[in-house]
Amino acid sequence: MSVHTIDFEAHNAEVQQVWEAYRTGKPVRVPIIWGINPRFTMWMPESNPRGITFEQYFHDPQLMLERQVEHIYWVRHHVPQDTEMGMPQKGWDVYVDFQNVYEAAWLGCAVRYYPDQVPDVEPLLVGDKKNLLFDKGIPDPFTGGLMARNWEFYEYMKRKQDEGWTMYGKPIASVTPTGMGTDGPMTICCNLRGASQFAGDLIEDSDYALQLLDFVTTAIITRIKAYRRYFGQPEKVSGGWGFADDSIELLSTRMYEEMVYPFHVRLKQELMEDPSQPIGIHLCGDVQRHLVFLRDRLNVCSIDTGFPIDLGKARRDLGPDVELLGGPAVPLLHHGKPEQVREETIRILQSGVMEGGKFILREGNNLAPGTPLENLWAMYETGKEYGRYV
């Protein structure tokens, strides 16, 4: 448990200034954030005193709501970062949270729960079921697979908001369903077939692999458009969009260009008003070799990185105009000592990655449960000290 005392009012005022300066292109220091969600505190008794499991969380909307607020409350009071800390002014921003299984489970994969782990899915398209989805077609975005529960949970949370439900004395400020974005077509194909099998498909049965990528991409587009229509939004957004596809780290850049890149282009064409506009992308893993291609061919202007990534090299390769997010690797933050975290943070900040003023310091990527708070404080305080521009 942290022994740091935080002046939330002063902290929040400083954070506002940091982000205003960053967004106007005149940063005073590097902003510092974390990739953090309820899995981080799921096994933490001080945040989850009832010991709610992911299986319970996935099946009871009231438990999902309460567990999420418990998580947000604890993070706001203990984890230093450049976001509003302390009690929220307007209330709790909650969302339907089926972690990273929601797309494959919508398409039919069974969700499995393992002790001390996040939920995962069993590959669906195995053996004689290889062509199952082509025969069944795209499930309904609102009633198919796990998405039926998505909308049931969303409507439940909206009712609680309308009823004035509170926790820790604060109401619900906003509710969001899952499924408005995507973890990416190749990643979903790896979930559906198994990563090793789909990697083999790309080489040994490329016609099938391309057919599955096409099916999954069409499903993503169909779902996102349906959800945008539901909320009265245009099917094609005017800007500020992006997606993920972590599994492209399995590919050479040439294979990515030939096999997966066309489907990323199609996502832009179908979901953006002007597909020539820049986008952001999240990519865990070793994707260093893809970065210049993504900038030049997909017009990626913001890259949220994982590990292992050499951020100094990324800046030299990409130039000062591409926004980069990244930092010390999650294993170091989880297993290392505060001084090791401090040294690595300094090394990254002095690598040249700050050139141009478009760098956001965060872990690479998504904090693991059990990460010591003292390591988070070490990175945050070091970032504030060595990440200054003026």
Side-chain angles (χ1 to χ4, degrees):
M1 180 65 66
S2 169
V3 296
H4 292 260
T5 300
I6 306 171
D7 182 336
F8 294 124
E9 184 176 353
H11 169 87
N12 294 340
E14 178 187 342
V15 166
Q16 185 176 356
Q17 293 175 352
V18 167
W19 282 110
E20 286 177 355
Y22 181 82
R23 291 177 182 128
T24 57
K26 300 177 181 178
V28 292
R29 69 166 173 83
V30 168
I32 307 162
I33 61 173
W34 304 107
I36 191 167
N37 67 63
R39 78 182 185 119
F40 181 74
T41 59
M42 194 65 78
W43 296 277
M44 188 181 290
E46 54 268 41
S47 174
N48 184 12
R50 291 171 290 177
I52 294 168
T53 66
F54 263 119
E55 188 167 9
Q56 293 171 315
Y57 184 79
F58 269 42
H59 286 87
D60 186 327
Q62 184 63 31
L63 286 182
M64 180 179 285
L65 177 60
E66 293 173 3
R67 172 82 271 277
Q68 214 171 106
V69 173
E70 287 174 344
H71 163 80
I72 297 168
Y73 177 88
W74 191 88
V75 168
R76 278 176 160 266
H77 287 82
H78 296 94
V79 179
Q81 56 185 316
D82 287 332
T83 62
E84 182 189 69
M85 293 187 68
M87 293 297 285
Q89 293 185 11
K90 296 181 180 179
W92 309 110
D93 296 311
V94 297
Y95 58 100
V96 182
D97 175 25
F98 293 127
Q99 296 284 300
N100 292 103
V101 305
Y102 70 97
E103 289 178 285
W106 170 51
L107 294 171
C109 288
V111 180
R112 294 290 179 257
Y113 305 92
Y114 304 98
D116 302 323
Q117 295 289 336
V118 294
D120 202 354
V121 293
E122 286 189 356
L124 174 69
L125 306 180
V126 295
D128 60 1
K129 295 181 180 179
K130 180 177 180 178
N131 296 308
L132 178 66
L133 289 179
F134 306 147
D135 300 330
K136 292 178 64 174
I138 297 170
D140 186 276
F142 295 94
T143 61
L146 190 65
M147 287 307 168
R149 201 186 310 166
N150 173 36
W151 288 94
E152 174 192 333
F153 278 34
Y154 172 75
E155 291 168 0
Y156 179 90
M157 292 181 184
K158 286 293 292 182
R159 286 197 302 272
K160 300 302 287 187
Q161 181 184 28
D162 294 341
E163 292 167 3
W165 178 87
T166 63
M167 191 166 178
Y168 301 115
K170 289 289 186 177
I172 296 172
S174 67
V175 181
T176 309
T178 196
M180 298 291 287
T182 181
D183 284 337
M186 181 172 170
T187 299
I188 299 170
C189 288
C190 287
N191 288 331
L192 291 168
R193 285 281 283 163
S196 297
Q197 181 61 62
F198 188 69
D201 292 336
L202 288 166
I203 298 169
E204 299 169 357
D205 193 355
S206 58
D207 288 344
Y208 170 77
L210 291 170
Q211 186 180 8
L212 186 58
L213 281 163
D214 180 72
F215 179 93
V216 167
T217 302
T218 301
I220 293 168
I221 292 165
T222 300
R223 185 191 70 239
I224 292 177
K225 283 185 174 181
Y227 291 2
R228 287 176 178 176
R229 290 194 301 269
Y230 177 88
F231 288 109
Q233 302 170 2
E235 289 187 352
K236 296 185 176 185
V237 296
S238 58
W241 191 67
F243 56 89
D245 209 346
D246 293 346
S247 293
I248 70 169
E249 74 160 316
L250 301 174
L251 306 177
S252 68
T253 301
R254 179 179 176 183
M255 182 173 279
Y256 166 69
E257 178 181 8
E258 293 175 353
M259 306 293 286
V260 180
Y261 166 70
F263 298 99
H264 287 175
V265 170
R266 189 169 155 217
L267 288 175
K268 291 189 69 175
Q269 291 171 338
E270 294 281 352
L271 295 171
M272 296 181 69
E273 185 178 285
D274 181 357
S276 69
Q277 290 296 302
I279 62 166
I281 198 166
H282 164 77
L283 296 169
C284 288
D286 183 5
V287 293
Q288 193 100 37
R289 62 196 174 278
H290 297 325
L291 298 183
V292 171
F293 181 91
L294 291 167
R295 179 199 63 187
D296 293 345
R297 298 288 297 279
L298 202 61
N299 199 8
V300 171
C301 69
S302 178
I303 305 174
D304 184 24
T305 67
F307 70 94
I309 290 289
D310 182 334
L311 289 162
K313 182 178 188 308
R315 175 60 70 209
R316 292 189 294 275
D317 291 344
L318 296 169
D321 296 329
V322 174
E323 180 181 66
L324 289 170
L325 295 83
V330 288
L332 174 65
L333 288 165
H334 187 276
H335 300 295
K337 301 296 183 184
E339 186 54 38
Q340 293 174 298
V341 172
R342 177 177 170 82
E343 290 173 0
E344 177 65 358
T345 303
I346 294 171
R347 185 193 68 79
I348 289 169
L349 291 171
Q350 294 181 344
S351 69
V353 72
M354 292 173 56
E355 180 185 347
K358 292 188 175 182
F359 177 60
I360 296 173
L361 179 65
R362 60 168 294 174
E363 83 303 332
N365 182 280
N366 207 287
L367 283 174
T371 300
L373 266 179
E374 55 263 33
N375 286 353
L376 305 187
W377 274 102
M379 180 172 139
Y380 185 69
E381 292 177 333
T382 304
K384 290 179 69 175
E385 180 182 356
Y386 284 83
R388 301 199 68 83
Y389 290 98
V390 292

